[in-house]
Amino acid sequence: MARVRKPITRTVEGKKNVARFCHPMRHGKTVRFFLGEDVEARRNLEALNRIFLVESNWVNPPTDTPDLIKTQWLGSDGFVKIKARAENAGRDIAVLQAEVTSLLAIIETRDKTIRDQNNELKALRGKKYCKEMLLDTLECAFGKWLADYSTPTADVDHKRTVKGDVARFVKHFGPKSKLFEMEGNEGKIRAWIHGLTRTIGKGENAIVKPLSPGRKHHVRVYCIKFLADCGVELDRKAITPVKQEDIDKARGGIKALDKRSAEAMVKALPTPWNDVFRIQTTIGLRPDECITLHRNNFADDFSRLTLSPLGALTLKTGGRTIPIPGEIRDMIMARVALNPIVFPHPKTGKAWGNPKNFDKRYAAALKKTAKALSIDTTMDARTARRTCASLLLQAGESPARIASLLGNTIEMILSHYGDPDTLNMDLSASTLCK
């Protein structure tokens, strides 16, 4: 039969209101509780009896219990200290439960503090702090790297290529391989990259060829970045890069058109691709820069163009100011009269949402037209830009002036865009950089 407890009563000792009773969670030891001043003493006494008279409240006092009473009931550290085992087993369990609950709360608080400190360390040390069990294998590291690498605005095709190259690396060395075994194995990584091959065809007709030097270069860049982001410390110089001369030799000559072919392309291309092609061959804009052109970019008389971003469309190398020759000025003015955006999306009439879609449609139109004209030069969205650089070089312009016009470096103009061996043609655009 459960023991019937009598309510606790208040006594006055000196000028203090106190209560004396046998604490059920302290082995029946008589304790002395301070009830506060006269105004609150009665309310605190009622709260104390709500705990004392109901056994289920001993471990977890009601939420509305005043702090003055709760602190004295469980102790200032949040739990009742046990100095000896209680004779009553049920009472002992209740006391231990109170201790465990309070200790767990303390552990959780301290654990949160440790986690916060670790996060600060990670921010200070960067991703190299990730040497932990979560990233102990290549498979785990690859999964985390993909999550970090994938962003909504990333180029879908580029992401697919990068993922494929890194996945090939992980598969070759074994997904279960220890991540940090890669440290000190630069020679093994270098040998794998330089020995990469690709298979052309299927079955008996399949031909295995070495991967192109340009592709090997990209594989090297992506794999080194992957390992570095996952905290692996590598000697990058030991992973010998692909020689630039090998890349240039495999790529072949710069794919640009002569003046006659360029003029034929302008006449045969449908609108608006013919106008895009004219602008590129005249002032050398990148295809992604063409779709940022807006009325606000031009001077009042359309004599100069200042490139700037358009909405979500950004610029690769920032803005620059370009003089506009008269041969394309009328065309630009006519287009702006129809739409402030020079090259809007054909369906929405607004700016293109994804430059990649513009490049694909433009390249498809170029290839179709070149095939109809029997032009053998490989066509892409930057063929006209390369043609501009080549024609300006042949017209006698200095590489420095052309680099300023195209928004690039002299080395890039000579190695990737300008072809000094192109047939000499007198192009009026050669005066643009003066």
Side-chain angles (χ1 to χ4, degrees):
M1 182 174 177
R3 178 181 175 183
V4 178
R5 295 184 175 276
K6 296 181 179 179
I8 302 172
T9 58
R10 179 180 60 171
T11 59
V12 179
E13 295 182 1
K15 294 183 178 181
K16 294 183 178 181
N17 296 301
V18 299
R20 290 184 175 274
F21 62 98
C22 295
H23 199 298
M25 292 178 61
R26 301 185 185 183
H27 322 298
K29 180 181 178 181
T30 300
V31 294
R32 175 177 175 272
F33 271 38
F34 175 60
L35 298 178
E37 302 300 332
D38 293 339
V39 177
E40 58 181 353
R42 182 175 179 180
R43 178 171 58 86
N44 288 335
L45 182 62
E46 292 177 355
L48 179 61
N49 275 313
R50 284 199 298 272
I51 304 174
F52 179 72
L53 298 175
V54 182
E55 187 171 352
S56 61
N57 291 342
W58 294 354
V59 178
N60 297 306
T63 55
D64 61 344
T65 302
D67 291 337
L68 178 66
I69 299 301
K70 187 184 296 184
T71 301
Q72 293 180 91
W73 181 265
L74 293 177
S76 59
D77 49 4
F79 63 94
V80 178
K81 296 179 181 179
I82 302 298
K83 295 183 179 179
R85 291 185 60 83
E87 296 179 359
N88 187 309
R91 183 187 305 164
D92 191 33
I93 292 174
V95 173
L96 292 177
Q97 285 178 341
E99 284 194 9
V100 170
T101 301
S102 300
L103 287 173
L104 287 176
I106 294 173
I107 292 172
E108 183 178 357
T109 301
R110 293 179 180 177
D111 185 55
K112 182 180 182 302
T113 302
I114 293 173
R115 288 198 304 269
D116 292 341
Q117 292 174 347
N118 282 339
N119 290 335
E120 291 179 6
L121 286 174
K122 287 181 180 180
L124 292 174
R125 299 181 184 178
K127 293 187 176 181
K128 288 187 177 181
Y129 187 76
C130 293
K131 287 189 176 182
E132 53 192 56
M133 291 303 295
L134 178 64
L135 300 180
D136 60 341
T137 65
L138 281 175
E139 186 176 37
C140 294
F142 183 47
K144 183 180 183 300
W145 187 78
L146 287 182
D148 293 342
Y149 177 76
S150 300
T151 58
T153 58
D155 186 335
V156 176
D157 292 338
H158 178 67
K159 282 168 53 180
R160 187 181 299 114
T161 301
V162 175
K163 289 179 182 178
D165 288 340
V166 178
R168 184 191 305 183
F169 172 86
V170 173
K171 183 178 180 181
H172 174 83
F173 289 98
K176 300 299 182 182
S177 299
K178 293 297 182 181
L179 172 64
F180 294 97
E181 289 179 358
M182 297 293 103
E183 294 180 357
N185 284 319
E186 289 84 356
K188 186 178 179 181
I189 298 173
R190 180 186 65 248
W192 173 76
I193 292 175
H194 287 271
L196 286 171
T197 60
R198 64 189 181 99
T199 303
I200 302 175
K202 296 181 179 180
E204 298 179 355
N205 299 325
I207 301 175
V208 178
K209 290 186 176 182
L211 201 64
S212 68
R215 186 73 256 159
K216 289 180 182 178
H217 165 72
H218 287 297
V219 172
R220 176 183 178 274
V221 171
Y222 300 153
C223 291
I224 289 179
K225 176 174 173 55
F226 158 66
L227 293 174
D229 287 350
C230 294
V232 178
E233 297 180 358
L234 293 172
D235 180 5
R236 298 193 179 198
K237 293 182 179 179
I239 306 176
T240 310
V242 181
K243 295 181 179 179
Q244 185 61 45
E245 50 264 34
D246 293 337
I247 297 176
D248 295 339
K249 183 178 179 180
R251 183 186 291 130
I254 296 173
K255 299 174 178 60
L257 301 176
D258 56 34
K259 182 178 180 180
R260 184 176 302 173
S261 297
E263 290 176 345
M265 287 290 294
V266 171
K267 294 179 181 179
L269 278 168
T271 304
W273 309 122
N274 57 346
D275 293 337
V276 177
F277 193 86
R278 285 183 64 192
I279 287 180
Q280 283 191 293
T281 54
T282 308
I283 57 177
L285 293 186
R286 297 179 177 87
D288 294 0
E289 291 172 342
C290 291
I291 56 178
T292 66
L293 298 182
H294 189 276
R295 176 63 186 90
N296 297 335
N297 299 131
F298 297 92
D300 293 339
D301 59 354
F302 287 85
S303 62
R304 303 189 75 80
L305 162 66
T306 302
L307 292 173
S308 64
L310 178 62
L313 301 175
T314 57
L315 301 175
K316 181 178 180 180
T317 57
R320 63 183 186 277
T321 300
I322 303 170
I324 304 298
E327 62 206 60
I328 62 171
R329 198 174 300 171
D330 292 340
M331 177 267 291
I332 295 175
M333 293 174 65
R335 296 196 65 86
V336 169
L338 299 175
N339 192 316
I341 300 175
V342 179
F343 296 109
H345 192 283
K347 291 185 178 180
T348 64
K350 300 179 181 179
W352 288 76
N354 188 349
K356 204 71 175 180
N357 295 334
F358 174 84
D359 294 353
K360 288 181 179 178
R361 293 195 188 185
Y362 180 36
L366 291 174
K367 293 175 182 177
K368 183 178 180 179
T369 304
K371 184 177 180 181
L373 296 175
S374 299
I375 296 176
D376 297 331
T377 304
T378 303
M379 306 296 292
D380 58 54
R382 298 201 177 200
T383 300
R385 176 175 163 86
R386 291 192 291 269
T387 298
C388 175
S390 297
L391 297 180
L392 289 174
L393 277 174
Q394 288 298 314
E397 284 294 344
S398 68
R401 289 180 180 274
I402 300 173
S404 176
L405 175 69
L406 272 64
N408 223 316
T409 63
I410 297 176
E411 293 75 13
M412 287 291 291
I413 293 298
L414 295 177
S415 62
H416 289 80
Y417 288 101
D419 188 354
D421 296 327
T422 303
L423 293 175
N424 193 350
M425 290 153 286
D426 294 329
L427 186 69
S428 59
S430 64
T431 62
L432 291 178
C433 299
K434 295 181 179 179

